[in-house]
Amino acid sequence: MSRQARIEGRSCGLVPTMGALHEGHMSLVRAALADCRPVIASIFVNPSQFAPGEDLQKYPRTFEEDCNKLESAGVDYLFAPEAGEMYPRGFRTWVNVEGLSERLEGRVRPGHFRGVTTVVLKLLEIVQPRKAFFGRKDAQQARLIAQMARDLHLETEIIVGPIVREADGLAMSSRNAYLRPDERRAAPVLYRALDGARISIARGERDALRLTAAMREMLRAEPLAEIEYVELVDADTFEPVTRLRGACLALVAARIGATRLIDNLLMEERDGAFGVAL
Ligand code: AMP
């Protein structure tokens, strides 16, 4: 399918997901459809990226609805394998991006990224897309996948789309479905903390410590929020920075009740000024 597309001068596009599709996913689908044919979406709740005790069992599954959304959007094919097909008995090969995968999300969720990069490599091998589409919502994941693609000479170009948000700023996520009404009201505090940083940067603040301290303070003011990390990092290395320079990310992870949420802000220096994307 992918080879045929290439022969005919078309690019095959892949949008990998875990289902429970929302507008964040659909924005990637639309980006793929604008650029590629055929477009393949995958739905696979990948067991290997969940640690024991995480939400694998209760992860939202809305397969029928997902199929309808993908079909109405014009997606050509859906790949929705069973866990036993992706991980047959005797499976023993793992892909790990060293260093990058041990920080931030990787530190809070040991083994998570090994599961992600392994399953994404398998999806890319199976589908052989010319382009694969990921969301900046999971900025560290997108960075790791781009690194894997480079390190392993993959022929797939990794495209990263912007974060799609609810009207009150909360980044869309399948896990938002876990939030009780009071938690849902509290959840946009992640966005507001990042937006506070955006405003300070627009006013000229460049000091990473002051920016992260202000974000922490805003998160602490929300009684339902429990901070996991607030960091300002270089967008390439994911190492902490002391001053904003080049491309940086402010990354936030917090629990709202029992639900883990993440969000981020991308800052890119252009001609001495900072372009900021929430
Ligand atoms: P998931 O189903 O959560 O594994 O997400 C599948 C893809 O959709 C990943 O590349 C995510 O980064 C992306 N994605 C999830 N939420 C959003 C969002 N709110 N905006 C943009 N992309 C998203």
Side-chain angles (χ1 to χ4, degrees), residues 48-259:
S48 74
Q49 70 189 66
F50 291 79
E54 285 189 348
D55 56 343
L56 173 63
Q57 299 333 320
K58 70 163 189 176
Y59 195 84
R61 289 165 172 86
T62 57
F63 191 70
E64 291 301 316
E65 261 175 71
D66 292 351
C67 291
N68 292 337
K69 284 184 187 167
L70 294 172
E71 200 174 344
S72 337
V75 164
D76 299 286
Y77 301 96
L78 170 63
F79 180 54
E82 295 294 331
E85 294 175 79
M86 293 298 272
Y87 300 103
R89 280 172 74 92
F91 181 88
R92 352 169 122 257
T93 304
W94 299 96
V95 190
N96 193 39
V97 177
E98 290 181 6
L100 265 178
S101 66
E102 286 134 37
R103 305 209 63 248
L104 297 155
E105 281 301 281
R107 197 171 55 215
V108 182
R109 306 181 67 189
H112 168 67
F113 282 130
R114 183 182 86 144
V116 170
T117 40
T118 300
V119 83
V120 170
L121 180 61
K122 285 164 70 70
L123 292 170
L124 297 179
E125 284 297 319
I126 293 164
V127 177
Q128 302 267 320
R130 176 70 196 79
K131 297 183 183 181
F133 295 77
F134 297 87
R136 205 195 79 225
K137 160 78 181 3
D138 301 281
Q140 192 179 3
Q141 165 178 292
R143 176 68 191 85
L144 276 159
I145 290 167
Q147 183 72 39
M148 170 179 78
R150 193 201 304 170
D151 290 347
L152 299 181
H153 311 278
L154 304 185
E155 286 188 34
T156 306
E157 188 181 338
I158 305 303
I159 312 282
V160 183
I163 302 179
V164 178
R165 299 177 178 283
E166 302 286 357
D168 60 6
L170 176 64
M172 289 194 183
S173 164
S174 307
R175 289 190 168 99
N176 293 349
Y178 299 151
L179 297 168
R180 298 187 320 232
D182 56 332
E183 294 170 344
R184 174 63 190 81
R185 283 192 294 278
V189 69
L190 278 80
Y191 165 78
R192 286 201 306 277
L194 293 165
D195 196 44
R198 180 187 65 78
I199 293 165
S200 301
I201 293 161
R203 291 186 181 141
E205 181 63 87
R206 298 289 180 265
D207 184 273
L209 269 182
R210 278 204 292 268
L211 287 164
T212 50
M215 286 189 277
R216 280 206 189 89
E217 197 178 323
M218 191 168 295
L219 285 157
R220 276 205 208 100
E222 171 48 65
L224 292 180
E226 195 188 312
I227 300 174
E228 282 193 347
Y229 59 76
V230 175
E231 280 200 36
L232 229 150
V233 302
D234 180 280
D236 186 54
T237 62
F238 275 70
E239 290 299 327
V241 297
T242 52
R243 270 190 85 71
L244 291 192
R245 250 187 74 202
C248 295
L249 284 160
L251 301 162
V252 176
R255 278 183 191 276
I256 305 287
T259 305

